[in-house]
Amino acid sequence: MSSMEFWGVEVKAGQPLKVEPKDFYMIHLSQAALGESSKKGNESVPLFLKFDEKKLVLGTLSPENIPQLSFDLVFEREFELSHNWKNGSVFFCGYQAAIPENDSAGSLGAIHEAVLLSRFIWAESILIKFLCCRAEKSKKRTSDSAIKTPVPSKKAKNATPQKTDGGKAGQVTPHPSKAKAPANGNNPKTPKSGGSFSCKSCERSFGSDGALKSHSQAKHGSK
């Protein structure tokens, strides 16, 4: 099995770095991560690879959302790494291994097994960090929404008391009930009071002299 050694480089802002494997060695690029930032921000940081005079984009990093990326790239010849982040450096790491003298299945299988294991470990760590970051942001948004949205309080509606004729609220003025009419529909008769003027012919009494004279003329023909 071929011996493997750790490999890592720092690529500073605005300074592309050429990497050349040692003789009879190949470099496996496994990860890229942002270094310490001199300023706060969450701008996107594209990573560039130049190989065989072709410039390609390896991926994009972000200080808060994607601080690191994993790769599975093997280089046997010179290549160049660069980025455009102005607030710090980007670190690339992986391992270098001797190129097998023969293409035996055992040697190639061991190298591929190590590559897959390294790739799985980095991918798992990135996924865990990404899920934790999303959970924290979701929890923060829920908390902020609960604080900013006030719950309307229910106010009891007080009945407005009606004012009575006396002007005092809450007191009801009783109204006199109307007297019931007799069942037969006839009003009670007022008894006649005795008069001081009496008719001599029929002995009826009247309250005034005028009434007596009218009665005498109508009933008895007296003038």
Side-chain angles (χ1 to χ4, degrees):
M1 179 169 152
S2 301
S3 59
M4 291 183 292
E5 301 175 0
F6 174 79
W7 170 87
V9 293
E10 176 185 1
V11 181
K12 297 181 180 180
Q15 300 180 17
L17 179 66
K18 291 184 177 181
V19 180
E20 185 176 2
K22 296 189 299 184
D23 293 339
F24 306 108
Y25 271 79
M26 60 182 180
I27 293 177
H28 181 271
L29 181 58
S30 303
Q31 183 193 21
L34 294 174
E36 294 183 359
S37 174
S38 58
K39 296 180 180 180
K40 292 184 179 180
N42 194 29
E43 69 275 14
S44 299
V45 183
L47 306 179
F48 301 101
L49 166 69
K50 189 176 182 181
F51 184 75
D52 285 343
E53 301 302 325
K54 294 180 181 179
K55 191 172 183 179
L56 307 171
V57 178
L58 287 175
T60 303
L61 297 176
S62 172
E64 292 185 4
N65 299 327
I66 312 174
Q68 59 185 14
L69 283 175
S70 61
F71 306 104
D72 185 11
L73 301 174
V74 176
F75 300 93
E76 296 181 359
R77 301 195 305 274
E78 182 184 80
F79 60 96
E80 182 181 279
L81 299 171
S82 62
H83 64 88
N84 62 355
W85 193 35
K86 299 179 181 180
N87 297 332
S89 300
V90 177
F91 293 84
F92 296 86
C93 64
Y95 62 87
Q96 57 184 357
I99 299 175
E101 295 180 1
N102 52 42
D103 293 333
S104 62
S107 298
L108 292 176
I111 293 175
H112 286 302
E113 183 179 354
V115 169
L116 292 176
L117 179 60
S118 174
R119 183 178 182 181
F120 174 78
I121 293 173
W122 287 118
E124 185 179 26
S125 64
I126 292 174
L127 178 60
I128 292 174
K129 290 182 178 181
F130 176 72
L131 293 177
C132 291
C133 182
R134 287 192 61 182
E136 290 179 0
K137 288 186 176 181
S138 177
K139 184 177 180 181
K140 184 178 180 180
R141 284 196 299 268
T142 303
S143 178
D144 292 343
S145 177
I147 294 173
K148 292 179 180 180
T149 306
V151 179
S153 59
K154 295 182 179 179
K155 296 183 179 180
K157 294 183 178 180
N158 297 324
T160 303
Q162 297 181 352
K163 293 185 178 181
T164 61
D165 294 339
K168 294 183 179 180
Q171 297 181 357
V172 180
T173 303
H175 295 280
S177 59
K178 295 182 180 180
K180 294 184 179 179
N184 56 7
N186 297 325
N187 293 327
K189 295 182 178 180
T190 304
K192 296 182 179 179
S193 58
S196 58
F197 300 91
S198 301
C199 180
K200 297 180 179 179
S201 300
C202 59
E203 297 183 354
R204 290 188 64 182
S205 298
F206 297 93
S208 65
D209 182 55
L212 176 59
K213 289 179 180 181
S214 298
H215 168 72
S216 300
Q217 293 176 359
K219 298 296 183 177
H220 307 294
S222 60
K223 295 183 181 179

